[in-house]
Amino acid sequence: MLHIRDMALPVRIASSALADDGAITTAGDFHQWFSQCVEKDESQVTRIPFSELSGWRFEEQTGNLVHHTGKFFSVRGLQVRTENRPVTEWSQPIINQPEIGILGILVKEFDGILHCLMQSKMEPGNCNRVQLSPTVQATRSNYTGVHRGSAVPYLDYFLDAEPRHVLADVLQSEQGSWFYRKRNRNIIVEATGDVEVLDGFCWLSVGQLHDLLTVDDLINMDARTVLSCLPFSGVGLCAIFPFDAEPLRSGLIRSISEDQGTLHTSSQIRSWITDSRVREDVETKLVDLTGVEGWHRSEDRISHETGTFFDVMAVDVQAGNREVLSWTQPMIESRNLGVVAFLIKRIRGVVHALVNARVEPGYLDVVELAPTVQCTPENYTHLPPEARPPLLDEVLSAPPDLIHFDTVLSEEGGRFFHTRNRYVIVEVPPDRDIEAPNDFRWMTLHQLAGLMQHSHYVNIQARSLITCLHSLLREPKRAAG
Amino acid sequence: MLHIRDMALPVRIASSALADDGAITTAGDFHQWFSQCVEKDESQVTRIPFSELSGWRFEEQTGNLVHHTGKFFSVRGLQVRTENRPVTEWSQPIINQPEIGILGILVKEFDGILHCLMQSKMEPGNCNRVQLSPTVQATRSNYTGVHRGSAVPYLDYFLDAEPRHVLADVLQSEQGSWFYRKRNRNIIVEATGDVEVLDGFCWLSVGQLHDLLTVDDLINMDARTVLSCLPFSGVGLCAIFPFDAEPLRSGLIRSISEDQGTLHTSSQIRSWITDSRVREDVETKLVDLTGVEGWHRSEDRISHETGTFFDVMAVDVQAGNREVLSWTQPMIESRNLGVVAFLIKRIRGVVHALVNARVEPGYLDVVELAPTVQCTPENYTHLPPEARPPLLDEVLSAPPDLIHFDTVLSEEGGRFFHTRNRYVIVEVPPDRDIEAPNDFRWMTLHQLAGLMQHSHYVNIQARSLITCLHSLLREPKRAAG
C-alpha cells in the first residue's frame, strides 16, 4: 500500500534540498562548528614501512597481507581474464573485505524541513584529515567489537529501525578496481523522537549539504553514496519547484521526477545491461598476493612496475577521538588525480546523463553503470593512444560555461590514502551530437534512481556524481557569457 | 518514454492467457503433434558407470569431474559455513557452469493473440524423455559450437533482437543447492515478419500453455521460468477480465495488475531483503571434489553417507534428433520427490503469496525469495523434528478444496536425472492467521514481478510457481463443496 507518507517523501526531500540555510544550523554555525572539529583533531598519520605494521603481517606461504584476527580486510591478488579490453589479462593486488558494513544517515524533521545528522570524522587517508561523514560509518568488525573500541554511536537507530521509518536501505558496491566484491549497506532512517546531538555531530539540511559539495575534500565518499540513495524521484516533485526555472534546472527537475521523456525505455535499458553482462566475458579469481605479476614489494610499498595504477602502503595513526586511540593499517594510494565526469544533455527538455556499462574486476555482477568518464589519465601514458578513454577529451576541453560542477573530492579515507578525483558535470548543447560506443546510453535521473533501489547497478563514482547532479537543483546556474 | 505499445503489452499478454484454444493450433492439433513428437523420439538413455564416460574424467589431483575441453560444466566441491541454520557447516558436490546460456521464447501475434513458439525437446534427465521447452534453450557452448553440433535454430532472433521487440530480458538464477552461481538469460522476443515453423516446433497461446501446466512432467523447467518473466503486470489489465469473477480469481487479477493493496510497501520488502542478506552470514568456497566430506564415490555414483540429498551419476545418451547424435554426461539425481508450494491468501481482497527469504549456497547474493515450502521431506528424516521446514505440514494437510494447483513437474532434464517436484498452491482462508517466522513475507504478484525484472531476487522454484499462479487466471476455480 502506498502510504500518504510515501507519496509525500520526495516532496519532503526536495524541500530539504531547497533549504540552503538549515532550520537549526545556519551556514555560520556550521563553519564555526566544523572549524572547531578540525582544530580539535590532533591525529597524526605517518607513512611507515610494512615491518612497522602491528597486528598485520604478510602470510609466509601466500604473501597476503592479513590481520592477526582474520577480520577487517586483507590484501590479496586478483587474476583477471577479459575480452574487448585494451589489456586482456592481468593480475593485481586487491582488498578482500567480505563483511558488509553500514553507512547510515539519520534524518529528522525540524520546522518542517528534513535534516541529516552528519559527523565530522577523521580518516587516516583524508588529505585534510577531517571530513563530513554519515551518522554511522562502521564495518561489521567495528560494530561487533572486534577491535575492542567503544560502541558506535547511533548504531541502534539503524539495526532496530521500524520498517516505516526506513527511507532507503540497499547494498551498494564500492570501487571494483580496488575491492573484491565489497558492498556496504546504504541506509537512511527517520527519527521521530528526540535525538541527542553528541560531540562531533551536526544537523544539516540536504540543501546545505549540496552547497558544501562544492568545497574540495569536504563531503566524504560515504556521505555522497548514502545521499545519492535519498528517494528524490516521485510524484508531485514538480509542484514545489518554480515553473520558470532556466532550461537546465527545469530539465533536471523533470529528469528526477518524471517517468516520461526518456530516450530509451527502462525495459530497454535493463535489456542493454543484461546484454552487456553476457557479452563481457570476464573471469576473475582470487589468488595469493605472491602470484601477482608485474607488481613489486619494497620495504614500504607494493607498486606496479610502470609506476602507474596504485600502491599498497602502510600508515601509523595516532588519533584522540577515534574508537581506538592508535593503530597501524595498510592502505591503497593512488598517486594521480582521477577524473570522474558525466556528460549531460537536455533531450526533449529532459536532462539525460551519458552512462557507461563498465567492467571492473571486483564487481559481483560483471558490469555496473559508471560515469561517462572515470579514469586516471596518467594510467594511459604507457598504452597506445587508441586505448585512451572515449570522451575524456570532450570533458577536459569543455568551455567553462558548460561546466556545471567541478570539485575535487576524496575517496574513502579508511582505505585510500590521499586518493582524490576531480568530479565534473559537463553539459553538451542540445544541438550537438555525441558519438558514443554501444557501451554508453543516455539515461534520466529517474531511471538511474529506479536502478539504485537495487544492488549492483550504479557504481560508487556514478552515485557520487548523482549527488552532485542533485546539488544543481538548488539554484539557477548563471547562463553563458 | 512509455510507448503505447508498452502500455498495451500486459493487456496483450492477458488476452493470450485467456485464449485457451489457440488461433492457429487447436488443443486437438497440439495433442496430435505432441504425440507424434513422442513417437518419433528414438532416444535411449542408460545409466553408466563413471568409467564409461567419454570426454569426461575425474582430474587426478582435484577429483573434479571435468570435460576434456574445459567447457560445458564440471562437478566440483563447495564448502559452506553459515549461521542460523540447523546445520552450520557442510561441504557438498556442486555443478560449476560459469557460462551464461540463453532461454528464449519467440512470440508472435496471430489473429490478435500472442503465441509462443514452443519446442518438443528430448532431454536425457526427463523421466518421460520429451517435454515442451522454450524456442531456444542453449548453453554458450551449444551456440558457439564447442560440441560441433548443428546450429541452434531461431537463435539469431534473440542475439540480434531490436530493442523495441524485446518483451523481457533478464539474467535469472537456477537451483542454488546444485549449481554454483549459475544463471541463464531469460529472454522473450516478438517476431514481426513471417517465421518458418521447423519440425518439432509449435505455436501455442499463453492460455494453452497454462492449461498444459496441469499435465505432469510436460512443461519443462526452462519454459516455466521464461514464461514467469512475461510482463503481465501493468495498467489496464483489469479491463479485460470479468468484474464478476469469483473472489480468488478477482483477487489474483488485482494482485497481478495493481500497485495497491499490498500488505508491505515495496520499499519495505526491499529493506527486508537487504536485512536478510546482511544477517545471513554465509561463506562459500569452491573446493576440490576430493575435499568434500561425507560424500563417497562408487563406480557409478557419488552419494551422501546418509543416502539423502542427491547423487552425482552418469548416463549414456543415444539420440536421433539432438544437435549431436550420441554422448555421455554426468547428471544430478534426486532420489525423492520434492514439494514446492506457495501458501496464498486474500488480504483485503488482493491475493498475496507467502515468500521465504532463503539461503542457498550457490546463490550469487546470499538470499533469494523462495516459495513458502521448498524441500524434499525425506532429507529431514535424519535431522531433529525442529529442523522440519516451517509450514510443510500446513501444505501437506491442506483440504482438497483449498488446493488450487497440484502437478508434478520436472527440473531441467539436461542436468537433473528424474528429478521432480510436486508444485502446489494452497489457499489460506482470509480469516485464518498463519504464524510465519521473520524470514517470510506476504507479497503480491505485482511486487514479485517488479523484482523479477532484476536478477538474484526470485529463485527458480518460485518463478515456476508464479507461472502456475498465472495459470489460475484462465478459469474460475470451482467453489468448495
Side-chain angles (χ1 to χ4, degrees), chain A residues 25-90:
Chain A
T25 310
T26 65
D29 292 343
F30 168 76
H31 285 291
Q32 191 178 1
W33 167 79
F34 191 71
S35 305
Q36 282 169 356
C37 294
V38 170
E39 265 172 44
K40 267 195 272 184
D41 172 60
E42 296 170 348
S43 63
Q44 298 284 339
V45 180
T46 327
R47 290 169 187 271
I48 54 171
F50 293 125
S51 59
E52 289 178 24
L53 279 170
S54 146
W56 296 85
R57 65 189 171 85
F58 289 100
E59 277 186 333
E60 204 152 316
Q61 276 213 313
T62 63
N64 297 336
L65 185 49
V66 299
H67 193 255
H68 72 96
T69 57
K71 296 279 177 178
F72 299 113
F73 62 91
S74 59
V75 182
R76 303 196 47 176
L78 190 72
Q79 221 165 54
V80 189
R81 202 200 48 70
T82 169
E83 288 173 9
N84 323 329
R85 304 279 126 187
V87 179
T88 59
E89 217 168 334
W90 76 89

Side-chain angles (χ1 to χ4, degrees), chain A residues 1 3 6 100 140 159 163-164 166 169-171 181 183 185 262 265 268 270-271 274-275 277-279 348 364-365 453-454 456-457, chain B residues 1 3 6 100 140 159 163-164 166 169-171 181 183 185 262 265 268 270-271 274-275 277-279 348 364-365 453-454 456-457:
Chain A
M1 184 165 49
H3 292 284
D6 286 339
I100 299 174
R140 203 178 173 93
L159 296 185
R164 65 200 167 90
V166 176
D169 185 7
V170 58
L171 300 182
R181 302 191 172 177
R183 56 259 184 79
R185 182 177 196 168
T262 64
T265 65
Q268 286 167 1
R270 289 194 306 270
S271 181
T274 299
D275 194 63
R277 287 178 169 159
V278 172
R279 268 174 216 277
R348 301 178 209 130
L364 188 68
D365 200 1
Q453 296 181 334
H454 310 281
H456 319 308
Y457 273 122
Chain B
M1 185 165 47
H3 292 284
D6 286 338
I100 299 175
R140 203 180 174 95
L159 296 185
R164 66 201 166 90
V166 177
D169 185 6
V170 59
L171 300 182
R181 302 191 172 176
R183 55 254 185 86
R185 182 177 194 168
T262 64
T265 66
Q268 286 166 2
R270 290 195 306 272
S271 180
T274 298
D275 193 62
R277 287 178 169 158
V278 172
R279 266 173 217 278
R348 299 177 209 130
L364 188 69
D365 200 359
Q453 296 180 335
H454 310 280
H456 319 308
Y457 273 122

Side-chain angles (χ1 to χ4, degrees), chain B residues 381-402:
Chain B
T381 49
H382 69 292
L383 290 175
E386 61 269 25
R388 198 166 162 83
L391 302 167
L392 173 59
D393 298 321
E394 187 78 28
V395 169
L396 296 183
S397 64
D401 61 302
L402 292 178

Side-chain angles (χ1 to χ4, degrees), chain A residues 82-220:
Chain A
T82 169
E83 288 173 9
N84 323 329
R85 304 279 126 187
V87 179
T88 59
E89 217 168 334
W90 76 89
S91 53
Q92 62 164 84
I94 198 141
I95 301 177
N96 189 33
Q97 184 172 357
E99 40 171 58
I100 299 174
I102 287 191
L103 307 178
I105 293 183
L106 192 66
V107 299
K108 187 173 155 58
E109 208 170 273
F110 296 99
D111 292 352
I113 298 292
L114 281 179
H115 283 67
C116 304
L117 187 60
M118 304 302 288
Q119 179 184 181
S120 86
K121 191 173 174 77
M122 190 286 291
E123 297 274 9
N126 291 341
C127 57
N128 53 351
R129 215 66 91 221
V130 178
Q131 297 191 11
L132 217 49
S133 82
T135 319
V136 163
Q137 175 181 324
T139 63
R140 203 178 173 93
S141 295
N142 275 148
Y143 70 77
T144 54
V146 170
H147 68 4
R148 295 165 298 164
S150 48
V152 177
Y154 302 108
L155 182 66
D156 291 343
Y157 281 99
F158 301 97
L159 296 185
D160 306 327
E162 279 265 337
R164 65 200 167 90
H165 295 149
V166 176
L167 311 192
D169 185 7
V170 58
L171 300 182
Q172 295 289 7
S173 65
E174 301 202 348
Q175 288 85 348
S177 302
W178 298 326
F179 282 116
Y180 184 69
R181 302 191 172 177
K182 161 96 178 288
R183 56 259 184 79
N184 272 323
R185 182 177 196 168
N186 286 233
I187 181 168
I188 303 172
V189 169
E190 184 170 359
T192 46
D194 281 344
V195 176
E196 187 193 359
V197 177
L198 300 173
D199 194 34
F201 290 82
C202 176
W203 289 109
L204 294 167
S205 70
V206 175
Q208 288 180 303
L209 288 166
H210 284 167
D211 257 347
L212 296 173
L213 258 182
T214 60
V215 180
D216 284 358
D217 303 302
L218 178 55
I219 307 289
N220 84 351

